[in-house]
Amino acid sequence: MYQPTTPPDLLCHWYVVHCQSGKEWQAASALESSLDLTAYLPLVKQQFRKKQQYAPLFPRYLFLHVDLGRTALSKINTTPGVLRVVMFDNIPQPI
Protein backbone atom coordinates (compact mmCIF):
# COMPACT_ATOMS: atom_id res chain seq x y z
CA MET A 1 0.00 0.00 0.00
CA TYR A 2 1.39 3.39 -1.02
CA GLN A 3 1.40 6.14 1.57
CA PRO A 4 2.52 9.56 0.39
CA THR A 5 5.16 11.16 2.57
CA THR A 6 5.90 14.79 3.06
CA PRO A 7 9.46 15.76 2.17
CA PRO A 8 11.38 16.78 5.30
CA ASP A 9 11.88 20.32 4.02
CA LEU A 10 8.12 20.94 3.94
CA LEU A 11 7.87 20.16 7.66
CA CYS A 12 10.48 22.78 8.52
CA HIS A 13 9.44 26.32 9.33
CA TRP A 14 11.24 29.53 10.18
CA TYR A 15 11.08 30.67 13.80
CA VAL A 16 12.38 33.74 15.63
CA VAL A 17 14.98 33.09 18.33
CA HIS A 18 15.63 35.63 21.10
CA CYS A 19 19.35 35.77 21.94
CA GLN A 20 21.50 37.17 24.71
CA SER A 21 22.78 40.67 24.05
CA GLY A 22 25.77 40.57 21.71
CA LYS A 23 25.60 36.76 21.39
CA GLU A 24 23.73 36.51 18.10
CA TRP A 25 26.76 35.18 16.20
CA GLN A 26 27.59 32.68 18.96
CA ALA A 27 24.00 31.42 19.05
CA ALA A 28 23.77 31.09 15.25
CA SER A 29 27.07 29.23 15.09
CA ALA A 30 26.14 26.88 17.95
CA LEU A 31 22.73 26.09 16.47
CA GLU A 32 24.27 25.30 13.09
CA SER A 33 27.18 23.22 14.40
CA SER A 34 25.66 21.32 17.32
CA LEU A 35 22.09 20.81 16.08
CA ASP A 36 22.75 20.90 12.32
CA LEU A 37 20.10 23.59 11.75
CA THR A 38 20.01 26.58 9.43
CA ALA A 39 20.27 29.93 11.20
CA TYR A 40 19.88 33.27 9.45
CA LEU A 41 21.28 36.42 11.01
CA PRO A 42 20.55 39.44 8.78
CA LEU A 43 23.36 41.99 8.99
CA VAL A 44 23.69 45.66 8.19
CA LYS A 45 26.90 47.58 7.55
CA GLN A 46 27.45 50.37 10.08
CA GLN A 47 30.06 53.06 10.60
CA PHE A 48 31.65 52.80 14.06
CA ARG A 49 34.69 54.88 15.03
CA LYS A 50 35.53 55.53 11.39
CA LYS A 51 35.43 51.81 10.59
CA GLN A 52 32.73 49.92 8.78
CA GLN A 53 31.45 46.93 10.70
CA TYR A 54 28.59 44.50 10.35
CA ALA A 55 25.92 44.47 13.03
CA PRO A 56 22.68 42.49 13.37
CA LEU A 57 19.75 44.14 11.62
CA PHE A 58 17.52 42.98 14.50
CA PRO A 59 19.71 43.10 17.63
CA ARG A 60 19.18 40.09 19.94
CA TYR A 61 17.17 38.12 17.33
CA LEU A 62 17.91 35.58 14.63
CA PHE A 63 15.84 33.28 12.43
CA LEU A 64 15.99 29.51 12.62
CA HIS A 65 14.80 26.95 10.04
CA VAL A 66 13.77 23.86 11.97
CA ASP A 67 11.28 21.00 12.20
CA LEU A 68 10.19 21.13 15.84
CA GLY A 69 8.82 17.61 15.50
CA ARG A 70 12.39 16.33 15.07
CA THR A 71 14.36 18.83 17.17
CA ALA A 72 13.34 19.37 20.78
CA LEU A 73 12.56 22.94 21.77
CA SER A 74 14.61 22.41 24.94
CA LYS A 75 17.74 21.71 22.87
CA ILE A 76 17.31 25.02 21.07
CA ASN A 77 16.55 26.99 24.24
CA THR A 78 19.61 25.59 26.05
CA THR A 79 22.03 26.41 23.23
CA PRO A 80 24.73 28.91 24.33
CA GLY A 81 23.68 32.45 23.46
CA VAL A 82 19.99 31.58 23.10
CA LEU A 83 17.39 32.86 25.55
CA ARG A 84 14.30 31.26 23.97
CA VAL A 85 12.30 30.68 20.82
CA VAL A 86 9.68 33.43 20.51
CA MET A 87 6.25 32.04 21.45
CA PHE A 88 2.68 33.23 21.74
CA ASP A 89 0.42 31.46 24.26
CA ASN A 90 3.35 29.10 24.95
CA ILE A 91 3.33 27.88 21.34
CA PRO A 92 6.25 28.60 18.99
CA GLN A 93 4.88 30.52 16.04
CA PRO A 94 6.37 30.00 12.58
CA ILE A 95 6.85 33.08 10.46
Side-chain angles (χ1 to χ4, degrees):
M1 177 201 263
Y2 173 76
Q3 290 184 348
T5 58
T6 306
D9 239 17
L10 294 180
L11 299 175
C12 292
H13 297 284
W14 286 96
Y15 295 90
V16 179
V17 176
H18 188 204
C19 301
Q20 295 172 358
S21 182
K23 303 284 185 174
E24 300 92 345
W25 282 284
Q26 177 187 1
S29 177
L31 289 165
E32 288 181 335
S33 63
S34 65
L35 298 179
D36 198 31
L37 300 174
T38 302
Y40 175 60
L41 180 60
L43 302 174
V44 62
K45 196 183 288 190
Q46 292 182 335
Q47 185 89 11
F48 183 72
R49 294 185 183 165
K50 298 185 181 181
K51 293 174 80 176
Q52 292 213 340
Q53 296 179 338
Y54 289 98
L57 180 62
F58 305 108
R60 298 185 71 175
Y61 293 93
L62 61 85
F63 301 95
L64 187 65
H65 194 235
V66 61
D67 176 5
L68 291 179
R70 301 180 100 196
T71 304
L73 192 58
S74 61
K75 285 188 177 185
I76 297 169
N77 288 339
T78 57
T79 301
V82 172
L83 291 174
R84 69 190 64 80
V85 173
V86 174
M87 296 192 268
F88 298 100
D89 292 328
N90 286 331
I91 300 169
Q93 297 297 313
I95 54 171

